[in-house]
Each structure stands twice: as structure tokens, then as C-alpha cells.
Amino acid sequence: MGLHRKIFLALAIAIVGISFVFILLTHLTVKGSIEAGIKETRGKEITNLTKELTTFFINHNHSWENIEQLKVLENIHQDDPEILVMDRQHHVILKKGDAPNKLVQYLGIKHELTIEHERAGEFFYYDPEIANFNKIMIGIPISVVILLIGCGSLLIIISLIIAYRLSKWIAAPLRILLPMIDRLGKGELGIQAPVQTKDEYGKIAEAFNHMSKELEQAEMVRRNLTADVAHELRTPLSIISGKLDVLQYQGQMIKPEALLPLQDELIRLNQLVEDLRILSLAEAGKLELKKIPTNMLDLAYQLLSAIGPLAEEKGISMKIDNQTNDPIICVDPDRMKQVFLNLLTNAIRYTPNYGTIFFRLMEEDPHYLKVTVEDTGIGIEKEHLSHLFDRFYRTDDARTRYSGGTGLGLAIAKQYVLSHDGIIEVKSMVNQGTSFIIQLPNDISKIEKINNGQ
Ligand SMILES: Nc1ncnc2c1ncn2[C@@H]1O[C@H](COP(=O)(O)OP(=O)(O)OP(=O)(O)O)[C@@H](O)[C@H]1O
Ligand SMILES: [Mg+2]
């Protein structure tokens, strides 16, 4: 059953149910109050009759024998009062008046006789005035019920029409979305549904659109990967083969220095294959980490002294800013070195001469150590930021390929940080600089430090 039908059915059941309960409650309330009203008008008479009958019953050893002798109705100051007394088996034991028994029972006031906790019988009091009054009173609930059923039916029909339209209206956005989901399932990745409202449906449509775009991108990344790997392998391979051709063509003894560029390309090729291996291991969650308590400040000094000469060549100054008391966390120091080495190499590569690079250690969140690598370099345009950690992604393909990067550095860095349960982010302003922010959990390290008595 379609959603629209389900909503309609649910609303219809609710409306019909509520209407019937309403009609029933009204009927019971009106009936109850009318009955109480009738009794009230002859309250004194009913009390007197009850007293007389009770006294008789008690005085005659709890029996109605000779009740015909009882002079009831003498103290009733109404026109033509009548009474019908019945025992506990509903047999008529006393009748005063001319009206038929059925009429007295139907239009009179009924009163149960319970004497000393024992049901002794019942009586019906009747007089012409009360009969008229009762006829009107019986008529009222009947007309109320007829009115209610009439109005209720009309109300139910109107409500059902509204419910039908409402359910159609509620389900309408889904009717647009469903074929889209179908088309996405059939492989039409990137398909976008119209977002017409800002309510929950609008949010579903937005989430669907986002998911569809993500799927399209993931598919594109998957398709591109093979092409990228082939492309990356082709460059060094064609350089090697070109150079070998030249050497062969010259037909001379190969001088050792002529082999150096070949060796460079082979090293590059090797590095690429190794990077891909590490990346696929990390993405599959199979990367082995040798986590030990590591002083990140010491690690920063080691890194800076290792790449210091590279920065010096460009007159770039490198500064360490430690804002923590305890920079020891539990990480795999070799993997972390690789992460920060890539970030620092990038920073040097994309910072013009005489710029500055900061390596900051901060403890803003007690559970994380925050490490940032900030540069005053060329920055990265906004459109590139969300792809920066993708494999082989370069903001400027021609320039970076020449300057030696494979475009895997940040993808590997991200996987290393993720495998440490950390977070990596990038913030950048074109022509002002870039900062890479890494948060690494420090809880485990504290426990280990205590265990190690540090
Ligand atoms: N600090 C930075 N400033 C400006 N652009 C950057 C910075 N860091 C990275 N990038 C951009 O991000 C791209 C990807 O960087 P990544 O480190 O992944 O690759 P790479 O440095 O080109 O190659 P690899 O690190 O594998 O040798 C770079 O090519 C560059 O365009
Ligand atoms: Mg790099």
C-alpha cells in the first residue's frame, strides 16, 4: 500500500473513531443529566414513597405480604399520582392508578428499593405531568443523537475529504523523490532532486542530493585512480626509456654520471609504488602502528633540523611554538615523522623566499594534542580544499609535477592521522598562507606514562 493511502487510512480511522466516541459520550452525558433532572423534580415524593414502603417491608418481617392494604399516595400532592410496586422477581405486587403498567414503567420514575442492604424490589412513580415531562426528556436525547449522527456524518465526510487531500499533499514530495532514488540505484550517479521546501522533506532531498554527488565523486575517484596510477608511472618510465634510447643511439661507453638521471627516476618510481602500497594498507586498516610515548616537541626539533637546509636555501625561517606543558603522546613516531615531514616539505615548497613556517603544539582540548603547521605561502583556493587529501590531487598539476611531488603525500598523511584516531584539517587564504591542523588523542599516552612511571 502506498504511503499516501496509508496516511489517508490512518487519518480516516482516527476521524471515524473520534466521531463515534464523541457521539457516544454526548449521548450518555445528556441521558444521565436528563434522568437526574426528572428525579429531582419529584425528589420529595420519591423519598416519601420509599420511606412508606421501607417501613411496611420492615414491619412485615421483610415481606410484601398484604401490601394491598398500604395506603400509599395519600401524602402526594400532585394531580392523579400513580404507583406500581414490584418485588425482587419483578412481579407486580401493588398497583394504584388507571394507567397501563407498561406506560407507568416507560414514562414513570423508576426507583430501586434496597432495604438494610437487601434488594427488596422497585417501584415506578407516575403522574400526568411527569409523563409529559418524560416524553419531552426522552425526545431530547433522541433528537440530540439524530442531530449528532447527521452532523457527525457530514463532519466525517468533510474530514475524510480533507484527510484525502492532506495525505496526498504530505506524500507529494516523496513521489518526486522516489523515482530519483530509483534512477540513482540504476546507476545515474549525481542525479539531483528539486529541493522545494525547507521542512523535513527538503532536508531529505538535500541529503539525497549530497549523497548522490558524493557517490558520483567516489565513482569518479575510483575511475580516475587507475588512470592516475598509469599516468604517474608513465612519466618516469618514458623519461628512463628516452634517456636509454639516447645512450644507445650515442653508441659509446656509458659514463656513470649519465646513469644518475636514470637512477633518480627509478628512485621516484620506487617511491611512488611504495607510497601506493602504504596508502592501500592504511585505507584497508591493515597498517601496523608501533605506538610508543613520544615527545612531540623533540620530534619537531628533529624534523626541523632534518629539513632546515631546504628552508635555508629559500631564506625561510622555521619556528617552533610550544604552548603545552606535556607534549608527550602515544603515537608511532616514524609515521608521525612522515606526516609532518610532508606538511613541512609542502610548506617550504609553497612558501616564497623569506617566508615563515610555524610548528605549533597546543592543548586546547584535554583529550587531544593539537599540532599545526602554518606557512605564509601562496595559499590554496577554496575550491581545492575539500579535495586536498584525495590521492594524486594537485592544485596546479604542471607546476607540482615538475617540482617533484606525486600528490600522495597528504592522502598518506590523512590515513596515518586517521589510523591514530586523530583529525586532520586544512585552512587556507590565497596569498596569505595555509595551516594544517592535526589533533591527536592523548588519553592513552597519559595512561602509558603512568604505567611507565614517567
Ligand atoms: N602548504 C601548502 N601551500 C599550498 N599548497 C599546498 C600546500 N600543501 C599542499 N598543497 C597543495 O596540495 C597538493 C597535494 O599535496 P601533497 O603533499 O599531497 O602532494 P605533493 O606535495 O604534490 O606530492 P608528495 O607529497 O606526494 O611528494 C600539492 O600538490 C599542492 O598543490
Ligand atoms: Mg607533499
Side-chain angles (χ1 to χ4, degrees), residues 274-337:
E274 177 59 13
D275 279 357
L276 280 170
R277 191 184 70 85
I278 294 283
L279 196 58
S280 60
L281 271 184
E283 281 176 345
K286 288 184 180 151
L287 198 73
E288 229 180 85
L289 292 179
K290 292 190 185 105
K291 283 190 188 177
I292 49 166
T294 307
N295 189 321
M296 294 300 283
L297 189 59
D298 290 349
L299 193 122
Y301 279 114
Q302 282 171 31
L303 285 167
L304 258 56
S305 70
I307 59 161
L310 211 64
E312 269 166 32
E313 274 175 27
K314 292 178 80 176
I316 293 172
S317 63
M318 302 189 76
K319 293 179 180 161
I320 291 180
D321 171 23
N322 175 30
Q323 297 175 20
T324 69
N325 296 323
D326 185 8
I328 301 173
I329 54 171
C330 195
V331 287
D332 181 330
D334 290 334
R335 308 284 188 205
M336 277 302 130
K337 258 187 214 164

Side-chain angles (χ1 to χ4, degrees), residues 341-347 349-350 405-410:
L341 205 58
N342 179 51
L343 295 185
L344 290 166
T345 324
N346 283 351
R349 198 180 284 161
Y350 301 108
T406 58
L408 286 175
L410 285 177

Side-chain angles (χ1 to χ4, degrees), residues 347 350-352 355-356 374-380 429-434:
Y350 301 108
T351 299
T356 315
E374 292 170 31
D375 63 49
T376 55
I378 58 171
I380 302 164
M429 293 275 273
V430 174
N431 294 331
Q432 289 194 23
T434 305

Side-chain angles (χ1 to χ4, degrees), residues 87-98:
D87 63 11
R88 58 172 79 92
Q89 281 87 33
H90 305 285
H91 298 134
V92 178
I93 47 171
L94 179 67
K95 168 81 198 294
K96 301 262 172 178
D98 308 324

Side-chain angles (χ1 to χ4, degrees), residues 268 271 275 342-343 345-351 373 375 377-380 388-390 392-397 399-401 403-412 426 428 433-436:
R268 222 172 111 70
Q271 186 58 48
D275 279 357
N342 179 51
L343 295 185
T345 324
N346 283 351
I348 295 172
R349 198 180 284 161
Y350 301 108
T351 299
V373 175
D375 63 49
I378 58 171
I380 302 164
L388 216 61
F389 299 99
D390 292 352
F392 298 117
Y393 194 83
R394 302 178 179 101
T395 57
D396 182 343
D397 208 44
R399 186 176 53 194
T400 42
R401 196 180 292 280
S403 55
T406 58
L408 286 175
L410 285 177
I412 293 175
V426 59
S428 189
T434 305
S435 33
F436 284 91

